């Protein structure tokens, strides 16, 4: 028996990165999973990656900025699988560390709208589209948050503000939807994914994994900056807390909580990141 036997999940941005990894992990835990994204090819690849479990994956193209797309996704999920137990608001973009000192007012205005539309409004609209079905199943929401929901320098000001805003959404939704629906989050740290930048800054073609690769190729890979990592981590390494928080059996008393899955940024030392590095 898996931890999520017969549950049904809908994951936004489920075609790549952490969303894809969570989709495959939820499948392995017995769930059926709908993955929503903008790129149909990526979504079909998730079905293929599921192998024998492919028929338990529903690929759905759509944009998280569109309330109609999200309502259609929830309806299609319930039509195919009969219910919705778990919503994972996850789709997002990064600002590639653009500091306020590097951007003009016009660039900030346009990039702010784009980053907040996807990262923040996209989460609100997903919850709006799904809450009725989640109430019906006494289900839960597991949001992807970020180290940037708590700490500086996980991006520039726009990304950091957007991820702090998601923490506020999580807490408010946990209040508004209790006692029927639990709302929790996983604050993931940096990992190799295709996380892209805003079109308005011409950064839609950049990916985080390409930045990792470029640093490695130039021999400029930084020393580990956080306590637990001595090499980069992959999306699959972050999926456990998403399973735990979605499980009614094991998290039935938890709402409004965030598990930081970031390698221990909050306990990083001043002299060196990990105090026990020589052990
Ligand atoms: N990669 C990291 O280091 C990191 C660290 C902390 C938090 N995160 C967060 O993890 C989440 C997932 O990102 P990822 O790193 O897996 O990157 P990713 O690019 O692989 O995944 C994001 C997904 O969202 C989709 N998406 C983007 N805009 C969309 C839109 N308007 N409508 C529908 N889908 C859209 C993309 O197509 C993609 O599939 C994001 O919220 C990101 O902020 C990532």
């Amino acid at each position: 028996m898996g931890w999520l036997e017969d549950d049904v999940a809908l994951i936004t941005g489920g075609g790549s990165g952490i969303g894809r990894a969570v989709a495959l992990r939820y499948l392995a835990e017995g769930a059926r999973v709908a993955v929503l994204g903008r790129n149909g090819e990526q979504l079909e690849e998730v079905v293929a990656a599921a192998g024998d479990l492919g028929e338990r994956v529903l690929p759905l193209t759509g944009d998280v900025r569109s309330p109609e797309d999200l309502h259609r996704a929830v309806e299609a999920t319930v039509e195919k699988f009969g219910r919705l137990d778990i919503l994972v608001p996850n789709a997002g973009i990064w600002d590639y560390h653009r500091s306020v000192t590097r951007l003009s007012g016009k660039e900030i205005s346009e990039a702010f709208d784009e980053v907040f539309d996807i990262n923040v409004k996209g989460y609100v609209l997903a919850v709006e589209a799904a809450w009725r079905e989640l109430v019906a199943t006494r289900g839960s929401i597991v949001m992807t948050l970020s180290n940037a929901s708590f700490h500086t320098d996980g991006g520039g000001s726009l990304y950091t503000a957007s991820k702090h805003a998601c923490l506020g959404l999580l807490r408010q939704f946990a209040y508004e939807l209790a006692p029927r629906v639990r709302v929790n989050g996983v604050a993931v740290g940096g990992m190799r994914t295709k996380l892209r930048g805003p079109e308005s800054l011409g950064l839609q073609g950049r990916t985080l994994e390409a930045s990792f690769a470029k640093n490695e190729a130039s021999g400029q890979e930084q020393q580990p900056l956080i306590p637990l990592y001595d090499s980069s981590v992959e999306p699959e390494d972050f999926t456990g807390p998403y399973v735990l928080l979605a499980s009614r059996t094991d998290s039935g008393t938890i709402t409004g909580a965030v598990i930081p899955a970031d390698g221990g940024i909050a306990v990083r030392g001043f002299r060196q990141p990990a105090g026990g590095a020589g052990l």
Side-chain angles (χ1 to χ4, degrees):
M1 282 284 281
W3 281 48
L4 305 175
E5 210 63 46
D6 294 330
D7 280 348
V8 174
L10 169 61
I11 303 173
T12 71
S16 62
I18 186 70
R20 175 185 181 278
V22 171
L24 295 174
R25 180 68 194 277
Y26 276 8
L27 276 181
E29 297 294 342
R32 290 160 289 164
V33 184
V35 282
L36 173 83
R38 284 193 289 188
N39 182 332
E41 274 176 31
Q42 274 185 351
L43 300 171
E44 289 300 337
E45 189 279 327
V46 180
V47 178
D52 291 346
L53 298 178
E55 65 189 28
R56 297 170 72 103
V57 182
L58 176 63
L60 298 165
T61 49
D63 192 307
V64 294
R65 292 168 288 190
S66 158
E68 294 80 17
D69 285 2
L70 287 161
H71 274 266
R72 251 196 311 274
V74 170
E75 279 161 27
T77 304
V78 174
E79 194 178 308
K80 178 155 173 78
F81 297 132
R83 53 191 286 141
L84 179 65
D85 299 276
I86 306 157
L87 172 71
V88 181
N90 166 78
I93 58 173
W94 197 41
D95 65 3
Y96 279 84
H97 262 134
R98 287 295 185 274
S99 160
V100 70
T101 58
R102 281 181 69 184
L103 296 169
S104 69
K106 182 171 184 296
E107 287 173 324
I108 289 172
S109 176
E110 290 172 0
F112 180 96
D113 288 348
E114 189 177 350
V115 169
F116 270 70
D117 270 2
I118 296 175
N119 290 9
V120 185
K121 190 168 80 179
Y123 277 29
V124 182
L125 292 177
V127 172
E128 189 286 319
W131 71 263
R132 296 161 193 83
E133 297 297 336
L134 296 172
V135 165
T137 58
R138 296 191 80 109
S140 79
I141 297 169
V142 185
M143 287 185 180
T144 295
L145 297 187
S146 168
N147 50 294
S149 299
F150 296 92
H151 307 290
T152 59
D153 202 28
S157 59
L158 302 182
Y159 183 77
T160 303
S162 76
K163 292 297 167 181
H164 273 62
C166 291
L167 176 60
L169 291 179
L170 180 150
R171 290 177 169 150
Q172 182 66 23
F173 289 143
Y175 167 72
E176 290 184 14
L177 299 177
R180 301 277 170 201
V181 180
R182 297 180 301 107
V183 184
N184 296 294
V186 184
V188 299
M191 68 188 113
R192 284 167 200 277
T193 67
K194 297 187 188 332
L195 190 59
R196 292 177 189 274
E199 275 181 50
S200 53
L201 297 179
L203 293 170
Q204 71 276 16
R206 289 270 295 268
T207 68
L208 198 50
E209 65 188 5
S211 301
F212 270 108
K214 198 170 150 201
N215 282 347
E216 283 161 13
S218 66
Q220 287 175 355
E221 194 177 19
Q222 292 176 314
Q223 291 300 307
L225 295 173
I226 43 185
L228 284 187
Y229 305 153
D230 52 11
S231 64
S232 64
V233 278
E234 305 297 332
E236 292 71 24
D237 299 323
F238 295 86
T239 56
Y242 286 84
V243 175
L244 172 68
L245 291 173
S247 163
R248 289 184 183 85
T249 309
D250 294 289
S251 292
T253 56
I254 301 176
T255 198
V258 182
I259 296 180
D262 60 11
I265 291 174
V267 296
R268 186 181 184 281
F270 289 109
R271 289 168 299 165
Q272 52 186 359
L279 298 177

